[in-house]
Amino acid sequence: KIEHAVMRLSIAGASLIIVVLLAVYRSAAALLLGLLPVATGALVGVAAVALAFPAVHGITLGFGITLIGESVDYSIYFFIQSLRVAAPWHERVWPTMRLGMLTSVCGFASLLPSGFPGLAQLGAYSVSGLIAAALVTRFVLPELLPRGFTIRDLKPAGEHIARLLGVLRRQRQSVLWGLALGILCAALLVLYGARGSLWNRELASLSPIPLPMQRQDAKLRGELGAPNALDLVVVSGNTLESVLQEAERAGQALEPLIDQKVIAGFDSPANYLPSIDTQAARRASLPDPERLRDDLERATAGLALDASRLRPFLDDVEAARHGPWVTAQDLKGTSLGAGFDALILRGPDGWNALLPLRTADSARPDIDDTRVESALARAHLQGTQLLDLKRESDALYTDYLHEAVRLSSAGFLAIVVLLGLALHSASRASRVLAPLVLAVLTVAAALAACRVQLTILHLVGMLLIVAVGSNYALFFDRLDRAGGADSMTLASLGVANLCTVIGFGLLSFSGVPVLEALGTTVAPGAFLALAFASVLTPRA
């Protein structure tokens, strides 16, 4: 489902962005050259992940569409702003773009130490891809431009944007900052009010399957009497025989729970292959030939069935009394063997038997773990435990989520330090950071107000807001230092923002929760970052 959505949206997003760029550039050469940083960044990103990790996750490849959101901006800044001849492009624009790229790298590099392989891969992919895209824009594109290269003059469009901004920027700076402070306070109040349910700590939140379908699946499995794959009694031991014996004892402890309607039943490998002790007890219960023959004669007395006709049965019982024990090897190639193998695991430290539990109520798939654990504890079983896969996986995901929040906070601090050092001014750095922080908090508050719980993918989306928005804020800071609005810079920012909103906005309609999380976070966040940066930059 994810693969299909990514493929469909990649084609649709790329097509729309190509249409926009072709309409802007009015040059096929500029369009093809402009896609070179995107393609290079994607290939370098995948190559870096393949070198650093044993395998490339599908979510990493799906993340490739999001790289378009920033890397395509680089070529837009280059083509549109290189029309000016007042100063060389690499002296006028590249320093600002380079600082924006380094800001993005600081944000995504914070994901590299993550214990969650998916996040670590996203960090490696983004860092290497963005660096490659920026370097191609700086050193390769200028050398590939054909002689007499030109694109459509966007100065009129830039001047139109400047006039629109002029309406807002004619307001006093104190009024604009007061409005921003009001939005900030409102966002913080909403986030504080939703603090208890702000983050979704269930691993199912990352599933591509919508929640109603997950519940329907669980209900159908319960009505079919299928084992609940989320609740397992796990029996561990050094040998297969010891594990089978403990599995039988665990089964005896679980039997009363069936009558008590705690569980509907359970599966056990001992149902397919009893332990040697159980086989010996069953063999010992078989009567000797003389007694069995006498019993048969008394049972058939007065019946039309002649006891002599049951001679083969007597032979089979006698053979069972002296035959070899049934082993796992005897089950190979049979349906019993398939069931047995599904419930037995052999690892480097020994054997494990799995006893999946069946829910007693199909409408309520959860099992009372406390009563199951109490029953097992009363039986004094060694090496036996109840494993709630949902509880354990959710706990693991929660740890990853907390780690991702800490790492992202560290990445933000690194961005603060970088901007402070690069801009040589704490006040300038704060003015660059203010639109980014305001955009992130506004989007998070809007999602919380819509009762959307945040996941790790929303967190990645917030990093993307900072990555894309840092370019906007830095360019407006450069305009402020230059002493006035530059129509070509404004035009490039407008086109870059439009492409970003298109690329991520389509993800909001994917029908896949993980992709929708990125789309609903980055698309409005990128627009707000541009809007806040345009009105909060102080006038020279």
Side-chain angles (χ1 to χ4, degrees):
K1 187 177 179 66
I2 294 178
E3 181 181 9
H4 175 72
V6 167
M7 183 65 66
R8 174 170 48 87
L9 294 174
S10 296
I11 294 174
S15 300
L16 287 176
I17 291 175
I18 288 174
V19 170
V20 170
L21 294 181
L22 195 57
V24 169
Y25 295 151
R26 303 287 177 88
S27 169
L31 175 63
L32 294 176
L33 291 175
L35 296 178
L36 182 59
V38 179
T40 305
L43 290 175
V44 170
V46 173
V49 173
L51 289 174
F53 296 88
V56 181
H57 289 306
I59 188 64
T60 304
L61 296 176
F63 192 69
I65 186 177
T66 66
L67 189 64
I68 299 176
E70 184 169 3
S71 58
V72 76
D73 292 356
Y74 297 156
S75 60
I76 291 173
Y77 300 144
F78 168 71
F79 285 128
I80 296 179
Q81 299 191 43
S82 64
L83 289 178
R84 291 183 56 195
V85 295
W89 177 84
H90 64 273
E91 296 179 2
R92 187 181 67 258
V93 181
W94 169 247
T96 303
M97 197 174 78
R98 178 182 58 197
L99 181 56
M101 180 268 294
L102 293 176
T103 302
S104 304
V105 167
C106 284
F108 285 111
S110 65
L111 300 179
L112 292 175
S114 174
F116 189 16
L119 282 185
Q121 286 198 12
L122 290 181
Y125 185 95
S126 301
V127 169
S128 56
L130 290 175
I131 293 176
L135 293 178
V136 168
T137 305
R138 167 62 182 86
F139 296 103
V140 178
L141 284 189
E143 303 299 324
L144 295 180
L145 291 182
R147 182 173 300 177
F149 173 81
T150 183
I151 65 171
R152 177 189 179 190
D153 185 6
L154 293 179
K155 188 175 181 179
E159 292 174 346
H160 181 67
I161 296 176
R163 286 193 295 271
L164 292 177
L165 288 180
V167 176
L168 295 174
R169 291 168 65 89
R170 276 196 292 269
Q171 300 293 328
R172 288 189 300 175
Q173 199 69 19
S174 58
V175 174
L176 295 176
W177 277 94
L179 180 61
L181 184 60
I183 295 175
L184 176 63
C185 292
L188 291 176
L189 284 175
V190 171
L191 293 175
Y192 181 78
R195 63 190 183 281
S197 59
L198 182 61
W199 295 97
N200 191 327
R201 292 175 171 81
E202 294 188 2
L203 186 62
S205 64
L206 300 183
S207 172
I209 307 301
L211 186 59
M213 293 183 67
Q214 296 182 42
R215 292 172 177 167
Q216 179 72 0
D217 175 74
K219 182 174 183 294
L220 292 174
R221 288 178 178 273
E223 292 174 349
L224 287 170
N228 182 0
L230 298 178
D231 292 280
L232 303 169
V233 173
V234 182
V235 180
S236 303
N238 296 324
T239 64
L240 176 60
E241 179 60 22
S242 65
V243 165
L244 290 175
Q245 292 176 4
E246 289 297 297
E248 290 170 343
R249 294 184 58 201
Q252 295 172 1
L254 294 173
E255 285 290 345
L257 298 181
I258 299 177
D259 298 332
Q260 299 169 16
K261 305 299 183 181
V262 176
I263 60 175
F266 59 90
D267 286 345
S268 173
N271 294 339
Y272 300 91
L273 178 63
S275 66
I276 299 299
D277 289 348
T278 299
Q279 292 187 49
R282 292 175 179 175
R283 175 181 292 184
S285 68
L286 297 175
D288 57 62
E290 292 76 13
R291 178 183 172 185
L292 183 58
R293 186 179 304 107
D294 293 341
D295 290 343
L296 279 177
E297 289 178 354
R298 287 196 300 272
T300 57
L303 300 179
L305 176 65
D306 187 354
S308 62
R309 299 284 299 274
L310 299 177
R311 181 74 184 185
F313 169 70
L314 299 175
D315 296 338
D316 288 342
V317 172
E318 184 63 17
R321 292 179 70 241
H322 298 92
W325 306 118
V326 179
T327 65
Q329 190 63 35
D330 297 322
L331 303 182
K332 294 296 182 183
T334 68
S335 58
L336 293 178
F340 177 78
D341 292 339
L343 300 176
I344 283 289
L345 301 175
R346 183 174 185 178
D349 300 327
W351 295 79
N352 294 283
L354 308 180
L355 283 70
L357 306 180
R358 289 194 287 271
T359 56
D361 186 355
S362 61
R364 299 178 56 191
D366 296 333
I367 290 176
D368 190 342
D369 294 343
T370 302
R371 298 184 65 177
V372 175
E373 290 174 338
S374 298
L376 296 175
R378 287 193 298 269
H380 304 290
L381 297 170
Q382 299 297 324
T384 300
Q385 60 180 330
L386 175 65
L387 180 60
D388 186 336
L389 291 181
K390 183 180 186 303
R391 181 176 60 191
E392 297 298 330
S393 60
D394 287 346
L396 184 63
Y397 172 68
T398 300
D399 291 340
Y400 284 142
L401 181 60
H402 291 164
E403 179 191 55
V405 172
R406 291 194 301 269
L407 292 175
S408 299
S409 300
F412 180 75
L413 291 178
I415 291 174
V416 173
V417 173
L418 172 65
L419 291 177
L421 294 175
L423 300 178
H424 307 291
S425 170
S427 60
R428 285 184 65 193
S430 63
R431 289 197 300 270
V432 170
L433 288 169
L436 310 182
V437 174
L438 195 56
V440 168
L441 292 179
T442 301
V443 169
L447 292 172
C450 295
R451 301 186 182 278
V452 176
Q453 289 186 300
L454 305 184
T455 67
I456 280 183
L457 271 301
H458 289 98
L459 186 63
V460 173
M462 294 175 190
L463 286 176
L464 275 165
I465 294 175
V466 175
V468 176
S470 62
N471 291 294
Y472 306 152
L474 287 169
F475 272 115
F476 275 105
D477 177 76
R478 182 174 69 83
L479 291 178
D480 172 56
R481 301 287 293 179
D486 178 355
S487 59
M488 300 307 293
T489 299
L490 294 178
S492 66
L493 293 176
V495 173
N497 184 257
L498 177 60
C499 291
T500 300
V501 172
I502 288 175
F504 285 99
L506 286 177
L507 296 182
S508 305
F509 306 98
S510 65
V512 177
V514 291
L515 297 180
E516 289 179 349
L518 283 175
T520 55
T521 304
V522 182
F527 176 78
L528 289 176
L530 178 64
F532 290 141
S534 66
V535 298
L536 295 182
T537 305
R539 292 173 287 284

